[in-house]
Amino acid sequence: MDIDGVFSGGGMKAYGLIGAYQVFEEKGLELRNAAGTSAGSIIAALALAGYSGKEMEELFLPLDGGRLLDERFGTNNPLLKWLLLYWRLGLYKGDALEAWIARLLAAKGIITFADLPGGSLRIVASDITNGKIVVLPDELENYGIQGQVYPVAKAVRISCSIPYFFEPVNIGTKRKPIFLVDGGVLSNFPMWLFDRGDKKPIRPVIGVRLNGNKEEIPPREIKNAVSMFRSLFEAMKDAHDNRYISRKHEKNIIFISSDHIPSTEFDLPLEDRLKLVELGRYSAESFLKKWA
């Protein structure tokens, strides 16, 4: 059966998405179109490029996440780190992440969006200069950029640019910058991209979300300024999507309860990576038993 898929953001919790995608393949569900935010954009891009769920697992399990964290100037000086954050707007450049994604896609012959079936992949980013959601490559023309010749790896890198963690990407000029960051800031789970209003979807749409049903998520504990910022960021990125998701949409969403795993733990132990894959598989299998 052909389906369209939506993959949420979640940083290093993406192993859960891989497990769910493996079950899709095993059950004969073929991905025709896909949308994703942040980590979800990586899985969506690799799936449409032709990577199987097993291949993704083999690539991701031994991954040294630290190699994707490219500091502009390697330093252990806390003061210098804060200065770099102040001036560069992020602790890490993001070039290493983009290069890694580019290598994986190039191995399957994918460089730009033109190398994929037209309209099959949509990636969500946040334009923090103008305060709006941007869908790549569709809306790049609004910025004077040809979407079809835009590198897929660059779009993924933009969608993964967690504020303050990775430097934002400027698609404007030096004099008039336009900064794009992690799509999760404004929409972490873009199920709405396949909404046709009152019309029936062209094909079944299944979403995979890396946290529980909103009724199941426990209240966040706020003990200090750091936990307050984390809670503020989590509330911001879920607000738009929680408002959109209704009972009608929930029946088409696989919820993977992975809130116990930090999104930015790039040195996640192998044991936790394997647990996330299995959690994704279990969640997808349980969902598909009752999905119709």
Side-chain angles (χ1 to χ4, degrees):
M1 177 192 294
D2 288 343
I3 64 167
D4 292 335
V6 181
F7 300 91
S8 81
M12 290 300 287
K13 296 186 286 188
Y15 292 93
L17 301 177
I18 293 172
Y21 184 65
Q22 289 175 350
V23 174
F24 286 1
E25 292 179 308
E26 292 165 10
K27 300 298 183 182
L29 301 176
E30 296 187 19
L31 202 62
R32 284 283 300 277
N33 300 301
T37 294
S38 197
S41 73
I42 299 177
I43 304 305
L46 294 181
L48 290 180
Y51 280 95
S52 69
K54 193 62 181 175
E55 286 177 312
M56 291 186 209
E57 182 178 355
E58 291 170 353
L59 287 168
F60 278 65
L61 282 180
L63 176 65
D64 178 2
R67 295 179 62 183
L68 304 180
L69 304 180
D70 47 354
E71 294 179 285
R72 188 161 291 279
F73 303 103
T75 177
N76 293 319
N77 187 315
L79 177 59
L80 187 53
K81 281 182 178 288
W82 278 109
L83 287 174
L84 289 173
L85 177 60
Y86 182 81
W87 290 110
R88 302 303 309 183
L89 309 180
L91 291 172
Y92 305 101
K93 291 185 288 184
D95 293 345
L97 173 62
E98 181 180 344
W100 178 64
I101 297 297
R103 286 195 299 272
L104 296 181
L105 292 174
K108 297 288 188 179
I110 307 299
I111 307 296
T112 71
F113 281 93
D115 298 319
L116 293 167
S120 61
L121 176 62
R122 285 180 285 178
I123 292 172
V124 174
S126 300
D127 176 349
I128 56 173
T129 300
N130 298 295
K132 61 182 181 181
I133 297 171
V134 182
V135 180
L136 310 175
D138 306 28
E139 297 176 346
L140 282 171
E141 290 186 3
N142 298 337
Y143 299 90
I145 300 171
Q146 284 187 281
Q148 286 306 297
V149 297
Y150 201 74
V152 178
K154 174 71 75 175
V156 170
R157 179 255 187 92
I158 291 172
S159 189
C160 292
S161 295
I162 303 168
Y164 301 114
F165 198 80
F166 288 113
E167 294 177 9
V169 175
N170 179 14
I171 63 168
T173 65
K174 285 188 176 181
R175 302 184 90 181
K176 290 187 177 180
I178 299 173
F179 290 120
L180 301 188
V181 300
D182 192 330
V185 171
L186 297 178
S187 180
N188 200 46
F189 183 53
M191 196 82 174
W192 48 272
L193 278 172
F194 291 101
D195 197 343
R196 288 164 48 86
D198 294 331
K199 296 181 180 178
K200 186 178 179 180
I202 296 174
R203 61 188 63 83
V205 180
I206 298 179
V208 188
R209 188 173 182 180
L210 283 170
N211 56 19
N213 186 309
K214 57 182 179 293
E215 278 83 22
E216 300 172 356
I217 300 173
R220 302 179 179 93
E221 291 187 18
I222 301 175
K223 298 179 179 179
N224 52 47
V226 174
S227 61
M228 185 179 78
F229 176 79
R230 185 181 297 117
S231 296
L232 179 65
F233 184 72
E234 292 292 326
M236 279 171 29
K237 72 185 184 66
D238 289 336
H240 173 275
D241 301 323
N242 283 342
R243 185 172 182 179
Y244 170 79
I245 295 172
S246 66
R247 291 294 181 189
K248 177 183 74 172
H249 301 103
E250 284 184 356
K251 64 183 177 63
N252 294 316
I253 298 172
I254 299 170
F255 293 98
I256 303 175
S257 299
S258 56
D259 296 292
H260 59 291
I261 302 290
S263 298
T264 55
E265 189 174 339
F266 277 73
D267 58 348
L268 194 66
L270 177 60
E271 181 182 0
D272 286 339
R273 301 181 190 204
L274 289 167
K275 283 181 180 178
L276 281 167
V277 173
E278 287 307 310
L279 183 58
R281 290 184 58 86
Y282 171 78
S283 300
E285 288 169 351
S286 299
F287 167 84
L288 290 173
K289 286 179 182 177
K290 55 185 180 181
W291 180 69

